[in-house]
């Protein structure tokens, strides 16, 4: 993608990916799911996960998998509120940009 991805958009994308799994999901899977829509490295995503956890939008828990602990991330109630805010802002933003590209009226 040639457009820069700011922190807010990365936060929104990660929250959307994690929220798809009721029990939460683990870091590597989050990275793979995000990469389906956006080219991004693990070294970019793990600080996003830590920031969202610090902001109380994500909570973590560990679960054993194949003899090792795997860290899972789950969206909190605060995270759902934030994700819904991002969703509404995105709808408005993307509609305005699409309208501009398509030669429509600017409102």
């Amino acid at each position: 993608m040639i457009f820069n991805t700011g922190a807010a958009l990365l936060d929104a994308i990660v929250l959307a990916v994690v929220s798809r799994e009721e029990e939460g999901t683990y870091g590597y899977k989050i990275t793979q799911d995000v990469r389906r829509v956006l080219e991004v490295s693990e070294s970019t995503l793990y600080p996003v996960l830590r920031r969202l956890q610090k902001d109380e939008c994500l909570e973590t828990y560990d679960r054993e998998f194949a003899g090792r602990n795997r860290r899972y991330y789950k969206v909190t109630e605060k995270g759902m509120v934030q994700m819904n805010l991002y969703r509404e802002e995105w709808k408005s933003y993307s509609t305005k940009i699409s309208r501009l590209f398509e030669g429509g009226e600017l409102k």
Side-chain angles (χ1 to χ4, degrees):
M1 182 185 288
I2 63 172
F3 299 104
N4 288 334
T5 307
L9 184 55
L10 279 174
D11 288 358
I13 290 168
V14 168
L15 286 172
V17 165
V18 176
S19 72
R20 295 175 65 121
E21 302 289 336
E22 190 175 321
E23 293 298 315
T25 188
Y26 54 97
Y28 179 75
K29 184 169 184 324
I30 295 167
T31 302
Q32 296 307 304
D33 290 348
V34 170
R35 283 181 174 167
R36 288 189 180 118
V37 296
L38 183 68
E39 194 171 316
V40 65
S41 68
E42 284 184 38
S43 63
T44 298
L45 283 180
Y46 280 97
V48 172
L49 290 167
R50 283 192 296 276
R51 180 176 60 246
L52 288 169
Q53 184 181 358
K54 180 178 169 262
D55 292 343
E56 299 177 347
C57 292
L58 291 177
E59 60 187 17
T60 63
Y61 65 93
D62 293 336
R63 180 181 286 169
E64 188 178 331
F65 177 80
R68 305 180 2 190
N69 275 341
R70 183 182 271 176
R71 171 133 312 159
Y72 282 75
Y73 297 85
K74 186 174 179 178
V75 177
T76 63
E77 190 173 320
K78 182 178 180 181
M80 289 302 291
V81 169
Q82 186 64 43
M83 187 184 71
N84 288 328
L85 174 65
Y86 284 140
R87 181 184 292 130
E88 292 306 314
E89 287 293 318
W90 178 256
K91 285 179 188 176
S92 173
Y93 178 77
S94 62
T95 297
K96 289 175 185 177
I97 298 299
S98 293
R99 205 176 284 141
L100 178 65
F101 283 152
E102 294 164 9
E105 192 174 320
L106 299 178
K107 296 179 184 178

